[in-house]
């Protein structure tokens, strides 16, 4: 879904994607945004219900310039998006923590992180082919290669699953990298200063106790991964 | 801040803390909620701006039956909470991913997770003593023991930092544990099934290049931690 700004490599800035603070940590760069989204699979989906914000964790996948978000047909945002021809306004946020930044002063403590905030309108995916592809993408976002190695959903299962689609048009990233920004006069204080790296990793796969005989661990699970999810 | 329900060990259920689906995964148990909150330090803060939800990552601490959320005095939610005597309605969500659940069928793929959703009204913390204690708690939530080992904020720094307080009154947890729930008729399919554990860990601390001579790595950083953040 390229937009007019695709050629520039950046998402257009809007009032709500322009931060009120720490503007030097903001980015609208398409490649950076995609990279942050592609490094995760868990998002926090925000919407308004009865005038108040609700924030729920769920799974997502990026497919080009579109996010697919997983839901149940019984959940509020899905039912609302389904019943609203104009869609449901949402905010989708993805955050990775890369490190804890310890400065000599309490004030300069910080976090190295990468986050993306997507503002948009969610529509329910109703086309069966698009929905099947979106669900495959959501599985593969968390476990690349897995969607081709499991039984596809049957009709009843597909009907019990819902997917929301949000176009990536109003998007921004924020990030911090590097060490502590201590005040020059604090440098000789006797407090350790530096960065404690943080990462997400996967452990050894635990097979289901009733795994059929002869089913080997698939290659997409044999390589340990260490990414921020 | 004990409420009338404190004695029961559970938060009272309300319309918005009662899930529309997967009710067997919901909990209002105070101890469980506290445990999930205490295992993290990053939350996703949701609020309504110009009629739409906004979800931003930030740091938090739990102190008894209260959450403190970190912000800048220039940020929208802080400015809004500051200017609104009645406070700013917010939703604060904390999520830990514990594992990816691979079923033989695409439909039964799932995530082992623990999450807490807090609905409430954020007030800006203005009392200097409460604010200082809250900022210490936010530092210690991420790095236990650190607040006592750094230079406290001076007046200018304290003024440039803002803290929101949200009482834990309308709160629920959701979680999933265990292996895949495959259909009996799928058990003989030739697809690996089981759980891929996911965890957050910290790496070897990286000292600031200008660390003063003789400053040793503090004991609270020498033990590797492996928690979900």
């Amino acid at each position: 879904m390229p937009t007019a700004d695709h050629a520039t490599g950046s998402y257009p800035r809007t009032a709500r994607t322009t931060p009120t603070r720490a503007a030097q940590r903001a980015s609208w760069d398409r490649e950076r945004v995609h990279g942050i989204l592609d490094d995760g699979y868990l998002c926090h989906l925000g919407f308004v219900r009865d005038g108040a914000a609700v924030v729920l964790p769920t799974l997502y996948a990026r497919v080009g310039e579109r996010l697919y978000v997983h839901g149940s047909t019984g959940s509020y945002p899905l039912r609302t998006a389904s019943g609203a021809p104009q869609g449901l306004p949402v905010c989708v946020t993805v955050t990775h923590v890369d490190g804890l930044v310890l400065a000599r002063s309490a004030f300069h403590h910080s976090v190295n992180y990468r986050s993306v905030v997507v503002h948009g309108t969610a529509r329910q995916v109703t086309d069966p082919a698009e929905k099947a592809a979106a669900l495959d993408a959501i599985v593969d976002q968390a476990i690349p290669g897995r969607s081709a190695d499991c039984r596809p959903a049957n009709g009843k299962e597909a009907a019990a699953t819902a997917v929301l689609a949000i176009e990536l048009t109003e998007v921004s990233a924020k990030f911090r990298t590097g060490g502590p920004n201590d005040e020059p006069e604090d440098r000789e204080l006797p407090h350790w200063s530096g960065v404690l790296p943080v990462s997400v990793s996967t452990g050894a796969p635990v097979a289901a106790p009733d795994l059929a005989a002869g089913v080997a661990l698939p290659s997409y699970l044999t390589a340990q991964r260490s990414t921020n999810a």
Side-chain angles (χ1 to χ4, degrees), chain A:
Chain A
M1 300 296 293
T3 70
D5 296 85
H6 193 77
T8 71
S10 288
Y11 293 102
R13 300 186 195 190
T14 69
R16 58 184 177 179
T17 65
T18 300
T20 52
R21 59 178 289 270
Q24 78 282 5
R25 295 180 185 169
S27 169
W28 299 264
D29 180 73
R30 207 172 286 268
E31 200 171 326
R32 182 184 294 273
V33 165
H34 290 182
I36 293 170
L37 292 174
D38 294 354
D39 272 357
Y41 49 81
L42 180 85
C43 66
H44 281 81
L45 171 70
F47 53 92
V48 178
R49 182 177 185 175
D50 298 334
V54 178
V55 179
L56 299 178
T58 188
L59 299 176
Y60 73 92
R62 180 183 76 86
V63 177
E65 293 295 335
R66 184 178 291 162
L67 281 190
Y68 288 112
V69 172
H70 185 269
S72 155
T73 49
S75 70
Y76 176 83
L78 275 294
R79 283 185 287 119
T80 307
S82 164
Q86 75 281 16
L88 175 74
V90 297
C91 179
V92 180
T93 300
V94 172
T95 306
H96 310 299
V97 173
D98 296 324
L100 300 173
V101 182
L102 289 75
R104 280 86 162 178
S105 61
F107 180 73
H108 283 297
H109 277 66
S110 191
V111 175
N112 285 341
Y113 70 100
R114 292 165 291 142
S115 68
V116 164
V117 176
V118 177
H119 300 275
T121 302
R123 67 173 169 87
Q124 188 166 6
V125 176
T126 52
D127 177 76
E130 183 188 8
K131 187 170 165 181
L135 287 168
D136 282 353
I138 290 170
V139 167
D140 286 334
Q141 180 99 15
I143 311 149
R146 177 64 180 180
S147 73
D149 184 28
C150 55
R151 175 178 67 71
N154 59 35
K156 184 183 162 193
E157 291 169 342
T161 312
V163 180
L164 294 176
I166 302 124
E167 306 304 318
L168 293 176
T169 51
E170 193 170 359
V171 185
S172 62
K174 281 192 87 172
F175 61 97
R176 187 198 189 281
T177 59
N181 297 323
D182 273 305
E183 301 294 333
E185 61 269 28
D186 288 340
R187 297 229 171 99
E188 293 304 314
L189 291 177
H191 306 303
W192 190 87
S193 180
V195 175
L196 186 65
V198 175
S199 62
V200 176
S201 57
T202 54
V206 179
D210 56 0
L211 196 63
V215 175
L217 193 66
S219 59
Y220 51 81
L221 291 184
T222 50
Q224 280 280 349
R225 300 187 308 156
S226 179
T227 63
N228 285 66

